[in-house]
Amino acid sequence: VACIEGFPYVLARAKAGDDVLDLCAAPGGKASAVLEQMGDAGQLLAVDLSDQKLALIKENFTRLGLKSYSLVCADGASFSARKNFDLVLIDAPCSGLGALRRRLDIRWRIKEQDIIRLSQLQSRILNHAAGLVKPGGALVYSTCTLTSEENQGSVKRFLSKNPEFRIDDAGQFVPRELVKEGFFSSWPHLHGMDGAFAARLRRQK
Protein backbone atom coordinates (compact mmCIF):
# COMPACT_ATOMS: atom_id res chain seq x y z
CA VAL A 1 0.00 0.00 0.00
CA ALA A 2 1.94 3.04 -1.22
CA CYS A 3 0.33 6.31 -0.23
CA ILE A 4 0.67 9.91 -1.34
CA GLU A 5 -1.02 11.46 1.72
CA GLY A 6 1.52 13.20 3.92
CA PHE A 7 4.34 12.92 1.38
CA PRO A 8 6.52 15.99 1.91
CA TYR A 9 7.23 16.49 -1.78
CA VAL A 10 9.18 19.62 -0.90
CA LEU A 11 12.05 17.25 -0.05
CA ALA A 12 12.32 16.57 -3.77
CA ARG A 13 13.59 20.12 -4.44
CA ALA A 14 13.02 19.52 -8.16
CA LYS A 15 13.85 22.38 -10.47
CA ALA A 16 13.33 23.28 -14.11
CA GLY A 17 15.42 21.11 -16.44
CA ASP A 18 15.84 18.19 -14.06
CA ASP A 19 15.70 14.56 -15.19
CA VAL A 20 13.47 12.82 -12.63
CA LEU A 21 12.70 9.12 -12.22
CA ASP A 22 9.69 7.96 -10.20
CA LEU A 23 10.15 4.23 -9.61
CA CYS A 24 6.80 3.57 -7.86
CA ALA A 25 4.63 6.14 -9.59
CA ALA A 26 1.02 5.11 -8.88
CA PRO A 27 -1.29 6.78 -8.06
CA GLY A 28 0.64 9.76 -9.45
CA GLY A 29 -0.02 12.54 -6.94
CA LYS A 30 3.64 12.73 -5.95
CA ALA A 31 4.82 12.80 -9.56
CA SER A 32 2.28 15.53 -10.40
CA ALA A 33 3.47 17.64 -7.48
CA VAL A 34 7.09 17.26 -8.53
CA LEU A 35 6.33 18.10 -12.17
CA GLU A 36 4.56 21.25 -11.00
CA GLN A 37 7.55 22.01 -8.76
CA MET A 38 9.70 21.85 -11.93
CA GLY A 39 7.33 24.18 -13.75
CA ASP A 40 6.66 21.30 -16.17
CA ALA A 41 10.12 22.03 -17.59
CA GLY A 42 12.46 19.04 -17.68
CA GLN A 43 11.53 15.38 -17.89
CA LEU A 44 9.88 12.97 -15.49
CA LEU A 45 9.86 9.24 -16.18
CA ALA A 46 7.07 7.47 -14.28
CA VAL A 47 7.51 3.72 -13.75
CA ASP A 48 4.86 1.35 -12.43
CA LEU A 49 4.11 -2.37 -12.66
CA SER A 50 0.50 -1.82 -13.76
CA ASP A 51 -0.56 -0.58 -17.19
CA GLN A 52 -3.95 0.25 -15.71
CA LYS A 53 -2.41 2.45 -13.03
CA LEU A 54 -0.18 4.14 -15.60
CA ALA A 55 -3.30 5.00 -17.59
CA LEU A 56 -4.74 6.69 -14.49
CA ILE A 57 -1.49 8.60 -13.97
CA LYS A 58 -1.67 9.81 -17.57
CA GLU A 59 -5.27 10.96 -17.00
CA ASN A 60 -4.17 12.95 -13.96
CA PHE A 61 -1.26 14.55 -15.81
CA THR A 62 -3.54 15.46 -18.72
CA ARG A 63 -6.15 16.95 -16.38
CA LEU A 64 -3.46 19.12 -14.80
CA GLY A 65 -2.04 20.15 -18.17
CA LEU A 66 1.34 18.52 -17.51
CA LYS A 67 3.34 17.42 -20.54
CA SER A 68 6.98 16.83 -19.56
CA TYR A 69 6.75 13.13 -18.78
CA SER A 70 7.07 9.59 -20.10
CA LEU A 71 5.45 6.41 -18.79
CA VAL A 72 7.01 2.94 -18.57
CA CYS A 73 5.45 -0.31 -17.34
CA ALA A 74 8.23 -2.03 -15.38
CA ASP A 75 9.31 -3.31 -11.97
CA GLY A 76 10.95 -0.57 -9.93
CA ALA A 77 13.27 -3.14 -8.33
CA SER A 78 14.84 -4.03 -11.69
CA PHE A 79 14.09 -1.16 -14.09
CA SER A 80 17.11 -0.15 -16.18
CA ALA A 81 17.78 3.10 -18.02
CA ARG A 82 20.44 4.37 -20.41
CA LYS A 83 21.12 7.38 -18.22
CA ASN A 84 21.21 8.42 -14.60
CA PHE A 85 18.90 10.99 -13.05
CA ASP A 86 19.12 14.20 -11.04
CA LEU A 87 16.37 12.95 -8.77
CA VAL A 88 14.95 9.47 -8.10
CA LEU A 89 11.68 9.12 -6.18
CA ILE A 90 10.58 6.00 -4.30
CA ASP A 91 7.13 6.17 -2.71
CA ALA A 92 7.62 2.63 -1.53
CA PRO A 93 5.09 -0.20 -1.21
CA CYS A 94 4.50 -0.33 2.55
CA SER A 95 2.16 -1.61 5.26
CA GLY A 96 0.18 1.65 5.27
CA LEU A 97 -0.06 1.75 9.07
CA GLY A 98 0.16 5.54 9.05
CA ALA A 99 -3.39 5.64 7.72
CA LEU A 100 -4.94 3.60 10.56
CA ARG A 101 -7.28 6.38 11.66
CA ARG A 102 -8.91 6.31 8.21
CA ARG A 103 -8.53 2.61 7.43
CA LEU A 104 -9.08 0.54 10.55
CA ASP A 105 -9.02 -2.69 8.53
CA ILE A 106 -5.23 -2.36 8.14
CA ARG A 107 -4.79 -3.13 11.85
CA TRP A 108 -6.20 -6.62 11.36
CA ARG A 109 -4.94 -7.27 7.85
CA ILE A 110 -1.22 -6.50 8.23
CA LYS A 111 0.85 -9.21 9.96
CA GLU A 112 4.44 -9.18 11.20
CA GLN A 113 5.56 -11.29 8.23
CA ASP A 114 4.07 -8.67 5.88
CA ILE A 115 6.27 -5.99 7.41
CA ILE A 116 9.35 -8.20 7.01
CA ARG A 117 8.45 -8.96 3.40
CA LEU A 118 7.80 -5.30 2.60
CA SER A 119 11.02 -4.10 4.22
CA GLN A 120 12.94 -6.60 2.07
CA LEU A 121 11.19 -5.33 -1.05
CA GLN A 122 11.94 -1.74 -0.05
CA SER A 123 15.61 -2.61 0.35
CA ARG A 124 15.71 -4.18 -3.12
CA ILE A 125 14.16 -1.09 -4.70
CA LEU A 126 16.43 1.28 -2.78
CA ASN A 127 19.64 -0.59 -3.56
CA HIS A 128 18.70 -0.83 -7.22
CA ALA A 129 17.85 2.87 -7.33
CA ALA A 130 21.30 3.82 -6.04
CA GLY A 131 22.81 3.08 -9.44
CA LEU A 132 20.31 5.36 -11.19
CA VAL A 133 21.25 8.58 -9.37
CA LYS A 134 23.78 11.00 -10.87
CA PRO A 135 26.71 12.08 -8.70
CA GLY A 136 25.41 15.12 -6.85
CA GLY A 137 21.84 13.95 -7.42
CA ALA A 138 19.29 12.92 -4.82
CA LEU A 139 17.16 9.95 -3.88
CA VAL A 140 13.91 10.60 -1.99
CA TYR A 141 12.39 7.62 -0.18
CA SER A 142 8.94 7.80 1.43
CA THR A 143 6.29 5.61 3.04
CA CYS A 144 2.92 6.08 4.74
CA THR A 145 3.69 3.74 7.61
CA LEU A 146 5.01 3.97 11.19
CA THR A 147 7.26 0.90 11.55
CA SER A 148 10.96 1.48 12.03
CA GLU A 149 11.72 -1.60 9.91
CA GLU A 150 10.15 0.06 6.86
CA ASN A 151 11.33 3.58 7.62
CA GLN A 152 14.60 4.33 9.40
CA GLY A 153 15.59 0.67 9.18
CA SER A 154 15.28 0.52 5.41
CA VAL A 155 17.24 3.76 4.99
CA LYS A 156 19.99 2.81 7.42
CA ARG A 157 20.44 -0.57 5.76
CA PHE A 158 20.69 1.25 2.43
CA LEU A 159 23.30 3.69 3.74
CA SER A 160 25.42 0.85 5.14
CA LYS A 161 25.60 -0.68 1.65
CA ASN A 162 25.87 2.57 -0.31
CA PRO A 163 28.38 4.81 1.50
CA GLU A 164 28.41 7.28 -1.39
CA PHE A 165 25.04 8.56 -0.13
CA ARG A 166 24.50 10.96 2.77
CA ILE A 167 21.35 12.14 4.55
CA ASP A 168 20.14 15.59 3.50
CA ASP A 169 18.60 16.92 6.71
CA ALA A 170 14.84 17.25 6.14
CA GLY A 171 14.86 20.18 8.57
CA GLN A 172 16.12 22.33 5.71
CA PHE A 173 12.80 21.87 3.93
CA VAL A 174 10.02 21.12 6.46
CA PRO A 175 9.21 22.35 10.00
CA ARG A 176 11.67 21.02 12.57
CA GLU A 177 8.88 19.43 14.64
CA LEU A 178 8.37 17.02 11.73
CA VAL A 179 12.03 15.94 11.69
CA LYS A 180 13.80 13.19 13.62
CA GLU A 181 17.35 11.98 12.91
CA GLY A 182 17.30 14.09 9.75
CA PHE A 183 14.22 12.31 8.40
CA PHE A 184 10.70 13.67 7.87
CA SER A 185 8.42 11.82 10.30
CA SER A 186 4.76 12.55 11.05
CA TRP A 187 2.63 10.85 13.69
CA PRO A 188 -1.17 11.05 13.96
CA HIS A 189 -1.20 11.56 17.75
CA LEU A 190 1.47 14.27 17.61
CA HIS A 191 0.77 16.15 14.41
CA GLY A 192 -2.90 15.57 13.61
CA MET A 193 -2.11 14.03 10.22
CA ASP A 194 -1.51 10.58 8.78
CA GLY A 195 1.70 8.90 9.77
CA ALA A 196 4.39 9.20 7.11
CA PHE A 197 8.14 9.04 6.65
CA ALA A 198 10.56 10.42 4.09
CA ALA A 199 14.31 10.67 3.65
CA ARG A 200 16.29 12.74 1.18
CA LEU A 201 19.62 11.09 0.37
CA ARG A 202 22.27 12.83 -1.71
CA ARG A 203 24.86 10.97 -3.78
CA GLN A 204 28.30 12.39 -3.09
CA LYS A 205 30.21 10.78 -5.95
Side-chain angles (χ1 to χ4, degrees):
V1 181
C3 173
I4 180 62
E5 174 135 349
F7 176 80
Y9 72 91
V10 291
L11 265 65
R13 309 301 289 175
K15 59 186 184 299
D18 276 353
D19 272 325
V20 180
L21 172 64
D22 187 344
L23 278 176
C24 306
K30 161 178 46 56
S32 298
V34 169
L35 266 176
E36 290 178 335
Q37 195 177 60
M38 295 161 61
D40 200 25
Q43 187 65 28
L44 183 142
L45 178 57
V47 176
D48 199 87
L49 266 174
S50 166
D51 277 320
Q52 186 176 9
K53 290 180 180 179
L54 286 171
L56 292 174
I57 293 170
K58 184 176 182 179
E59 284 182 18
N60 289 332
F61 286 167
T62 301
R63 177 174 50 82
L64 294 168
L66 299 170
K67 299 178 179 178
S68 301
Y69 68 88
S70 301
L71 305 173
V72 174
C73 186
D75 185 345
S78 58
F79 170 76
S80 61
R82 295 180 180 179
K83 63 179 180 182
N84 286 1
F85 296 83
D86 300 296
L87 174 66
V88 176
L89 307 172
I90 302 173
D91 189 24
C94 71
S95 59
L97 293 171
L100 272 177
R101 61 180 183 165
R102 292 185 294 108
R103 298 184 56 192
L104 295 177
D105 63 297
I106 296 174
R107 183 189 304 272
W108 315 115
R109 184 166 49 83
I110 296 295
K111 308 298 182 185
E112 183 177 356
Q113 57 265 34
D114 295 317
I115 293 170
I116 294 170
R117 174 182 57 81
L118 285 162
S119 67
Q120 291 171 343
L121 173 59
Q122 292 154 3
S123 290
R124 289 200 302 274
I125 297 172
L126 272 166
N127 287 317
H128 178 67
L132 296 169
V133 182
K134 290 179 181 178
L139 172 61
V140 176
Y141 172 82
S142 66
T143 73
C144 58
T145 195
L146 304 171
T147 70
S148 59
E149 292 92 339
E150 298 175 84
N151 294 341
Q152 298 92 331
S154 285
V155 173
K156 289 177 180 180
R157 287 191 298 273
F158 169 80
L159 292 172
S160 71
K161 293 183 177 181
N162 298 277
E164 69 275 23
F165 283 84
R166 296 287 185 274
I167 299 169
D168 246 356
D169 186 359
Q172 302 171 81
F173 316 118
V174 299
R176 181 55 65 178
E177 61 265 27
L178 293 171
V179 178
K180 185 176 181 180
E181 297 184 81
F183 306 132
F184 168 91
S185 184
S186 64
W187 293 80
H189 67 290
L190 294 177
H191 307 118
M193 64 178 76
D194 280 0
F197 172 89
R200 178 181 168 88
L201 309 170
R202 180 168 291 280
R203 183 173 180 176
Q204 303 298 304
K205 58 182 180 179

